[in-house]
Amino acid sequence: MPFRPVPAERILKPGYTGPGEGLVPVDVRRERTRNVIVKFRDAPVYIDGERVTDLMDGEHVTFYLKPGVHRIGVTTQFDPVIELRFLVDPRYTNRASVAFDKDHHIGIRRVAQ
């Protein structure tokens, strides 16, 4: 089942979600879960310290960022912000996965396509 895009009304900083010259797409996906304890929690997403949107179960958002190292962070109302130093490079697959561990804590990691 494909990931659903985050609705436009939940994008708090639209400057990060529009393509532009010299910008590289970075796809951030929230993995689906059957665990009802975390399924309905929103997961705020930060780019370089700025809150940009919230991800719900099975959603994704594409950010357009300048090449270089950026910080992509996620959290919940129960977790501190977890940041991933993410090298944005047009030669690589630029995708990150947001998921919950067995203890219901949120995490983020870079994934291959």
Side-chain angles (χ1 to χ4, degrees), residues 20-94:
E21 187 174 331
L23 301 179
V24 178
V26 176
D27 189 52
V28 179
R29 300 171 171 213
R30 176 155 168 205
E31 302 301 329
R32 288 182 178 79
T33 182
R34 292 182 183 193
N35 183 332
V36 294
I37 293 173
V38 296
K39 185 176 187 79
F40 299 105
R41 285 186 196 167
D42 64 325
V45 179
Y46 296 80
I47 300 292
D48 297 327
E50 287 192 82
R51 186 172 176 181
V52 180
T53 191
D54 294 348
L55 282 176
M56 298 301 289
D57 193 61
E59 289 184 335
H60 83 103
V61 61
T62 301
F63 300 115
Y64 293 87
L65 305 173
K66 292 179 182 177
V69 177
H70 294 272
R71 298 180 342 263
I72 302 175
V74 293
T75 188
T76 69
Q77 68 268 34
F78 304 109
D79 294 300
V81 175
I82 305 298
E83 286 192 335
L84 172 67
R85 289 181 51 81
F86 196 96
L87 175 61
V88 175
D89 189 315
R91 299 172 296 171
Y92 303 137
T93 299
N94 294 288

